[in-house]
């Protein structure tokens, strides 16, 4: 593989930055400076995907905050990508009314600062009914204390088992294709990774399966005093953050999808029509697959931006990685060490997204096509 001049320059710059960061860290901090991570916090971070108590050490509080960031980012990515897809599809359609409405939405929303939008949605959710007059719909309870949904007694076991089954099916399909196709018979690193995923998923299923009957017992939100107990709670701080990021970044993602749909030439559309494909079949079988080739690279950058934008949750009191790290640095006085940990976590999350999107981009790329 021959590296291009731009790649060599980029790699050189990254290497210089890594060396500079390592020298800076070693000269300004020692391993003793990170011992505060094992000290008890003495405070609770409130809402957390992972369980959190007053006696948790700082490393667990940061881990719980990281789970909040990842959860908010995943929900925001799914919602913003879905919204952006429909905006891009409508914007590139021949319907003048829908196209104009989509363009007006994009032009207005993306020019309003996201800080203003998150405060707007937080104010909207604060005006929801109080708990005693909460909105009830299909077992849900909606009030200014949060959104309560029916769930299971142990969601961690249920979700963990689902992830284990999905990982096992994926790795099983990879191994099945490898052993049943005509090839050179060589085993690559990817196949060993699939074997590892398969064994880990199998171990997870065997461990969690006995707990499934007790975990599947329905847990419905019930009114207790002035609040609700049971079910799964989504605080209004998280809801405001997700709403703001979804509508704000969805406008940008919509432009990405619009550019991808416009990249599909009329000749491809005419060929689909000549084959008798209906409009929705043309979109699913022709426009979307061809548009993805040009959509994935800029979409990767947008997804990374979504993760970083979730840090504005500190404005409405959502305890994400940035908010908990700020409190930790203030209490412990270890600002540099906390900053190093926070930066490392953000790098791991964003690098993982970039690598996953790059792998998907290589998978769908046409032979001989380079992005």
């Amino acid at each position: 593989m021959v590296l291009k001049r731009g790649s060599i320059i980029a790699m050189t710059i990254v290497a210089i930055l890594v060396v500079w960061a390592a020298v800076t860290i070693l000269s300004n901090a020692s391993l003793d400076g990170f011992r505060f991570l094992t000290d008890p916090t003495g405070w609770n971070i409130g809402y957390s995907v992972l369980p959190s108590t007053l006696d948790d050490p700082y490393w667990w509080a940061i881990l719980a905050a990281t789970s909040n960031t990842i959860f908010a980012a995943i929900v925001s990515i799914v919602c913003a990508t879905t919204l952006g897809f429909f905006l891009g599809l409508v914007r590139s359609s021949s319907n003048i009314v829908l196209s104009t409405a989509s363009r007006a939405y994009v032009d207005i929303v993306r020019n309003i600062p996201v800080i203003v939008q998150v405060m707007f949605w937080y104010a909207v959710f604060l005006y929801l009914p109080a708990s005693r007059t909460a909105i009830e719909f299909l077992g849900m309870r909606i009030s200014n204390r949060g959104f309560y949904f029916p769930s299971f007694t142990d969601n961690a076991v249920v979700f963990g088992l689902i992830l284990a089954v999905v990982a096992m099916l994926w790795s099983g399909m990879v191994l099945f294709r490898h052993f049943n196709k005509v090839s050179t018979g060589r085993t690559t690193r990817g196949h060993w990774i699939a074997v590892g995923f398969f064994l880990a998923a199998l171990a997870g299923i065997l461990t969690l399966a006995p707990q499934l009957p007790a975990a599947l017992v329905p847990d419905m939100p019930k009114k207790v005093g002035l609040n609700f107990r049971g079910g799964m709670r989504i605080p209004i701080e998280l809801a405001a953050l997700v709403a703001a990021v979804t509508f704000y970044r969805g406008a940008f993602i919509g432009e990405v999808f619009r550019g991808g749909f416009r990249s599909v030439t009329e000749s491809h559309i005419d060929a689909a029509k000549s084959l008798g494909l209906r409009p929705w079949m043309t979109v699913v079988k022709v426009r979307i697959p061809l548009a993805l080739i040009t959509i994935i690279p800029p979409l990767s950058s947008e997804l990374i931006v979504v993760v970083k934008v979730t840090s504005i949750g500190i404005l409405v009191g959502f305890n994400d990685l940035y908010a908990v790290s700020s409190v930790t640095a203030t209490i412990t006085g270890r600002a540099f060490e906390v900053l190093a940990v926070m930066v490392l976590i953000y790098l791991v999350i964003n690098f993982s997204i970039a690598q996953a999107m790059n792998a998907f981009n290589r998978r769908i790329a046409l032979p001989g096509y380079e992005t």
Side-chain angles (χ1 to χ4, degrees), residues 217-271:
V217 176
D219 185 17
M220 305 296 293
K222 299 178 181 179
K223 188 176 181 180
V224 179
L226 299 177
N227 207 341
F228 292 98
R229 294 290 184 270
M232 182 177 63
R233 172 177 175 261
I234 301 296
I236 61 172
E237 293 83 6
L238 174 58
L241 173 63
V242 171
V245 175
T246 296
F247 287 104
Y248 179 65
R249 297 312 306 181
F252 290 88
I253 295 176
E255 290 296 282
V256 173
F257 276 100
R258 183 179 70 89
F261 291 139
R262 289 291 178 87
S263 66
V264 181
T265 61
E266 290 296 329
S267 59
H268 293 94
I269 306 300
D270 293 338

Side-chain angles (χ1 to χ4, degrees), residues 5-17:
R5 180 180 301 177
S7 301
I8 297 176
I9 295 176
M11 293 174 62
T12 304
I13 295 175
V14 171
I16 294 174
L17 291 176

